[in-house]
Amino acid sequence: MMDGMEVIECDVAIVGGGPAGCTCALYTSRADLKTVILDKNPSVGALAITSHIANYPGVDRSMTGQELLDQMRDQAIQYGTDYRRAQVFMIDVEDGDGVKYSKTVYTPDATIKARSLVLATGAMGRVSPPFPGEETYLGQGVSYCATCDGAFYRDSEVAVFGMNLEAMEEATFLTKFAKTVHWVTPNDPRPGEDEHVQELLKHENVKQWTKSRLISVEGDVSGVNGIKVRQRGVDGDFTIPVEGVFIYSAGGGSKPITDFIQSKVDFKEDGGVTVNEDMETSVKGVFAIGDIRNTSFKQVVVAAADGCIAAMSIDKYLKGRKSVKVDWIHK
């Protein structure tokens, strides 16, 4: 553990701030369980990028997915949830007894020790095959987390591929460390139409490569030393010399996001996390909810229901109940 890193102890740690995670947090917080949500980015999940919500009970048809998610998050926070923007890169878990802090969640800025853990990162993972060289140099210059690895590239040349919100925010973060951030985008982002584009391009150490495709990641025994790019209107591929490349081209994917879990819980053949009727995984005290289960019913109302079931199961588990308590009344 790094010196000075914050250590947080809680009853419930939830990885993921979508409708499943926020619903679970609402219920556990109302049950007076100290709850922490760790959310990589509140604007890139399946609900957040939905333009209009027409089939969630009681919601006006004009409401956007982002607006509904904002309300869910705010409601959980109002009941005491500790919501944090954080990239989770690893977990350690062991069967719990409901008393000891048997689950540990690692982020770049804090370590969270919890009595129970909820996996709710959804299924927006990339389904397209990796770029040539991407897997070869993963951990040797290829990264998917600027907040985790950005400091390693102080005064270096780095590349960011992708033009979604996550790519822009991570590229902006890298400007604090890198000598040059080469922003490579398949299309031509328009600064006048997107404040995030404006924010990124105002940094003098950002060089934009528009209408460009990442062809491969290049390197040698010491790691990444460049990326091969193909730009529309330019004859032949060319190489941009860099020491690190951050790839954010996952938008629209449907693969459960489970890389941080490794093999700590059991998975189904289709990549979803295996759970029982209480939403509990193969490890006692670890629960999985929402699209990370890879069910056929990828709907907001189903994710919210998963969160409710898990929360009631967690309350029973942590408080040693024999049955679930229907709800918790606050006067």
Side-chain angles (χ1 to χ4, degrees), residues 209 216-218 225-230 236-242:
W209 301 83
S216 64
V217 179
E218 307 294 313
N225 58 24
I227 56 170
K228 186 175 289 185
V229 173
R230 182 175 300 163
D237 300 340
F238 58 93
T239 299
I240 303 173
V242 295

Side-chain angles (χ1 to χ4, degrees), residues 120-191:
T121 43
M124 288 283 287
R126 203 163 108 214
V127 293
S128 58
F131 295 99
E134 180 180 347
E135 291 183 317
T136 303
Y137 297 107
L138 182 61
Q140 294 182 284
V142 172
S143 176
Y144 310 116
C145 178
T147 53
C148 304
D149 300 328
F152 295 123
Y153 297 96
R154 193 176 298 276
D155 299 323
S156 300
E157 303 279 329
V158 301
V160 174
F161 177 69
M163 58 181 295
N164 55 24
L165 179 57
E166 183 180 17
M168 289 185 276
E169 288 188 344
E170 297 281 83
T172 301
F173 180 84
L174 284 167
T175 61
K176 298 189 292 184
F177 302 100
K179 179 180 179 181
T180 307
V181 176
H182 297 270
W183 184 29
V184 181
T185 62
N187 297 314
D188 189 3
R190 303 181 184 279

Side-chain angles (χ1 to χ4, degrees), residues 90-91 93 258-267 282-283:
M90 188 173 69
I91 62 172
V93 298
T258 59
D259 54 318
F260 67 98
I261 303 172
Q262 300 173 325
S263 58
K264 303 295 174 62
V265 300
D266 289 347
F267 293 89
S282 56
V283 178

